């Protein structure tokens, strides 16, 4: 919907060129799925091999974006992508009737407006998050630690404390009692 002309769900359905997904959810083992999206690599192999320089990096956001009029649809970028996420479609942002690289652009217009990408905002499971990877990992680690500490002696359902950690705590407790 974000890359449609109307930017509304009902409007997007009726458009001549229906906006195609820019994130692909791949089936995995035992019905688990994985949202596969552009990682906006640095350096980006797709940018390095593009013969027309259609792929550029937006300096303020660090996102790799496609200059659609320059894309000739040669698919060299798709062959260079280590994650296999680049697809080619006819898009509403280009008047010409040809297929171009239609990869994730991190919703660059939304970012410029101070919003997060549409996929992360719409994700109901929390599988997609947006931000600096180290910040997200730090937050996740802190949240996990707080849940672990709160779970001791309660009925809160959280991951179990590993046996080696329990054993280490028991040893520390015994040492404290001895001194």
């Amino acid at each position: 919907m974000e890359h449609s002309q109307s930017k509304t769900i009902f409007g997007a359905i009726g458009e001549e060129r229906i906006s195609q997904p820019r994130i692909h959810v791949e089936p995995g083992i035992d019905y688990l799925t994985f949202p596969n999206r552009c990682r906006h690599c640095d350096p980006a192999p797709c940018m390095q091999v593009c013969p027309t320089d259609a792929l550029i990096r937006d300096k303020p956001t660090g996102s790799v974006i496609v200059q659609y009029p320059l894309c000739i649809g040669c698919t060299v970028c798709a062959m260079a992508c280590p994650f296999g996420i680049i697809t080619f479609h006819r898009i509403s942002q280009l008047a010409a009737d040809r297929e171009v690289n239609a990869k994730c652009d991190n919703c660059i217009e939304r970012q410029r407006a101070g919003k997060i990408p549409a996929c992360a905002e719409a994700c109901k499971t929390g599988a997609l998050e947006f931000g600096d990877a180290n910040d997200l990992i730090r937050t996740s680690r802190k949240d996990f630690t707080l849940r672990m500490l709160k779970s001791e002696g309660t009925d809160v359902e959280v991951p179990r404390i590993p046996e080696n950690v329990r054993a280490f705590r028991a040893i520390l407790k015994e040492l404290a009692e001895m001194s």
Side-chain angles (χ1 to χ4, degrees), residues 44-62:
C46 58
M47 281 178 59
Q48 294 173 329
V49 299
C50 181
T52 62
D53 291 326
L55 292 160
I56 60 168
R57 185 171 307 281
D58 179 67
K59 289 195 187 332
T61 63

Side-chain angles (χ1 to χ4, degrees), residues 46-130:
C46 58
M47 281 178 59
Q48 294 173 329
V49 299
C50 181
T52 62
D53 291 326
L55 292 160
I56 60 168
R57 185 171 307 281
D58 179 67
K59 289 195 187 332
T61 63
S63 300
V64 176
I65 57 175
V66 181
Q67 300 178 94
Y68 300 120
L70 297 179
C71 180
I72 58 174
C74 67
T75 73
V76 174
C77 56
M79 289 183 266
C81 177
F83 302 103
I85 56 90
I86 297 175
T87 55
F88 291 79
H89 302 287
R90 288 178 173 79
I91 58 167
S92 61
Q93 294 87 345
L94 184 65
D97 191 32
R98 60 188 169 92
E99 292 186 345
V100 294
N101 177 335
K103 69 173 211 60
C104 163
D105 62 0
N106 267 344
C107 292
I108 197 80
E109 296 303 321
R110 288 178 59 92
Q111 282 191 65
R112 290 178 180 151
K115 299 177 181 178
I116 64 172
C119 61
E121 185 178 282
C123 184
K124 302 298 182 214
T125 64
L128 295 175
E129 292 188 20
F130 183 76

Side-chain angles (χ1 to χ4, degrees), residues 3-40:
H3 290 91
S4 68
Q5 287 183 324
S6 66
K7 305 271 191 245
T8 66
I9 197 160
F10 294 113
I13 293 170
E15 291 177 5
E16 185 177 329
R17 290 187 187 169
I18 295 175
S19 182
Q20 299 295 319
R22 308 236 172 161
I23 294 179
H24 310 283
V25 179
E26 306 294 340
I29 299 169
D30 295 330
Y31 304 106
L32 293 175
T33 57
F34 174 73
N36 196 9
R37 61 179 292 270
C38 180
R39 273 87 165 168
H40 302 275

Side-chain angles (χ1 to χ4, degrees), residues 161-176:
I161 296 174
E163 288 304 315
N164 60 339
V165 174
R166 286 184 191 277
F168 183 72
R169 285 182 179 175
I171 291 169
L172 287 178
K173 187 176 181 180
E174 286 181 26
L175 288 174

